[in-house]
Amino acid sequence: MSVKQEGKINYHNWWKSLTLGLISLAAGGSIGPEASTTVLGSGMVNWLGDRLRLIAYSSDWKWNHFWDTIVSKKQLKKLPKFSSLFKSKLHQKVFCLIMVMIGVVGAAIVFKLFPEEGLFGIHHRHILWQWRYSMYVIIPLIVGWSFGMFFLWSEKWSDYFAEKITISPIIKATIWGIVLALLTLITSYALYSGEFQIVPFVHQALQISPLFLLVIAVIKTLSTNIGFSLGWRGGKIFPSIFASVAVGAAIAQFLPIMPVMCVAITVSASIAVILGKPLLTAILLILLLPIELAPVILVSAYLAACLTKVSYSFRQKNN
């Protein structure tokens, strides 16, 4: 939020995000690490940008300034913005592209040094394209879109009820910790974000009854949104993906199309609704699902986004 509104982040409080994120994750909260990681990453980039501005514009700059934990805010305010370091828009784009490539290469090196059946990566799978069943793809699309709307509805009402509870934030978080523990009596999938559970879950999802898969999806949705509203900090992307996979696997047991395609369409539609950004959704899911399904993922995400716009327009006219 701070980055969106002000274009910067207070990186001096990085330890708060790290501590709260680690506590929530270690305690089994149904939230992902992406939020805390984004805050820490944004803080590091902001910190580096400030140091580069010092190098470029401070006449009395010294090397020890680069490693100072705290730099005078007055001093930084007097300096031009980081964007002024670039001679042109092209120069800026080239710099950003190089930084992105460094990140991609770094990630590739890590995956190469520590190979495992990970969540991210370019996955391949033979897809049996059965065009005579193409009419059935509308079902996972509608179901995925509906589940995405349910996730957003759950998020809205979780925030609403949490605001009505006028007790200490610590007590709120403690109460939800107890409830979360009780939810594990129904399914252990109520815990954690599901990021590292998606791969093994996919392998066994079709052996789980459709009704229980839907129960898992609902519990995952509620444990994520209510927990977040009651003070458990983290991200919602991976829990929403996990819950959407459960829904996709449930309806895949009733349709004649390939289960992986049914899941891909359901998840793409659902996450496109939740994030509100179909292109970002497609890029994310292409790294999670077989690359051969990239066109299906992209089309499903944009169709779900269009359906959302039509739905909102219809409701506004009726109101």
Side-chain angles (χ1 to χ4, degrees):
M1 187 64 71
S2 176
V3 175
K4 280 187 176 181
Q5 294 178 346
E6 304 174 17
K8 59 183 178 180
I9 189 171
N10 184 7
Y11 47 80
H12 301 300
N13 295 328
W14 62 270
W15 60 273
K16 290 184 180 180
S17 297
L18 178 64
T19 303
L20 292 174
L22 288 177
I23 290 175
S24 295
L25 292 171
S30 182
I31 38 83
E34 66 273 10
S36 300
T37 304
T38 300
V39 172
L40 293 173
S42 300
M44 292 170 62
V45 172
N46 207 160
W47 179 89
L48 179 60
D50 285 345
R51 269 60 188 176
L52 292 176
R53 287 197 295 152
L54 283 173
I55 294 173
Y57 294 112
S58 295
S59 57
D60 60 341
W61 178 84
K62 297 179 182 179
W63 275 106
N64 64 314
H65 289 167
F66 194 88
W67 301 108
D68 283 345
T69 304
I70 300 176
V71 175
S72 171
K73 293 182 180 180
K74 292 182 179 179
Q75 183 183 11
L76 289 173
K77 285 182 178 180
K78 293 179 181 178
L79 298 176
K81 292 184 178 181
F82 185 77
S83 58
S84 62
L85 292 174
F86 303 102
K87 297 178 181 179
S88 64
K89 286 287 185 182
L90 178 62
H91 186 197
Q92 184 177 355
K93 289 180 180 180
V94 170
F95 177 83
C96 292
L97 178 61
I98 292 174
M99 293 298 102
V100 171
M101 292 306 299
I102 290 175
V104 171
V105 171
I109 292 174
V110 170
F111 288 138
K112 190 70 175 178
L113 292 175
F114 305 98
E116 59 176 339
E117 188 183 20
L119 186 62
F120 285 103
I122 302 300
H123 307 283
H124 293 280
R125 182 167 182 173
H126 175 69
I127 304 299
L128 182 61
W129 301 97
Q130 297 175 305
W131 301 109
R132 66 182 182 274
Y133 296 133
S134 57
M135 67 183 73
Y136 290 100
V137 300
I138 191 66
I139 297 176
L141 180 68
I142 296 299
V143 171
W145 177 83
S146 301
F147 182 74
M149 296 299 290
F150 168 72
F151 192 96
L152 294 179
W153 176 86
S154 170
E155 182 180 55
K156 174 184 175 182
W157 284 100
S158 296
D159 291 340
Y160 175 79
F161 285 116
E163 291 175 359
K164 297 295 182 181
I165 303 175
T166 56
I167 56 177
S168 166
I170 296 178
I171 296 178
K172 284 184 181 181
T174 302
I175 291 174
W176 182 248
I178 296 172
V179 175
L180 186 64
L182 294 175
L183 286 175
T184 60
L185 298 176
I186 302 175
T187 173
S188 61
Y189 290 123
L191 296 173
Y192 306 107
S193 67
E195 178 183 355
F196 297 104
Q197 297 168 312
I198 290 178
V199 172
F201 179 70
V202 167
H203 293 329
Q204 62 177 1
L206 295 180
Q207 280 71 54
I208 302 175
S209 72
L211 179 59
F212 192 64
L213 285 171
L214 294 178
V215 170
I216 291 173
V218 171
I219 288 178
K220 195 70 178 172
T221 298
L222 297 178
S223 63
T224 298
N225 288 321
I226 297 177
F228 195 88
S229 299
L230 292 178
W232 289 64
R233 283 291 167 255
K236 300 181 182 181
I237 295 177
F238 285 111
S240 63
I241 292 176
F242 184 91
S244 301
V245 168
V247 173
I251 62 174
Q253 299 184 35
F254 299 100
L255 299 178
I257 59 178
M258 287 188 69
V260 66
M261 184 176 295
C262 186
V263 169
I265 296 171
T266 305
V267 176
S268 301
S270 175
I271 303 304
V273 172
I274 295 169
L275 295 183
K277 298 179 180 179
L279 182 58
L280 176 62
T281 297
I283 294 173
L284 173 65
L285 295 181
I286 285 172
L287 294 174
L288 302 178
L289 299 167
I291 190 65
E292 289 79 6
L293 290 173
V296 174
I297 294 170
L298 190 62
V299 171
S300 300
Y302 273 98
L303 286 176
C306 292
L307 193 57
T308 301
K309 289 181 180 180
V310 172
S311 173
Y312 283 139
S313 299
F314 181 76
R315 279 185 287 178
Q316 287 177 352
K317 287 181 180 180
N318 289 337
N319 292 334

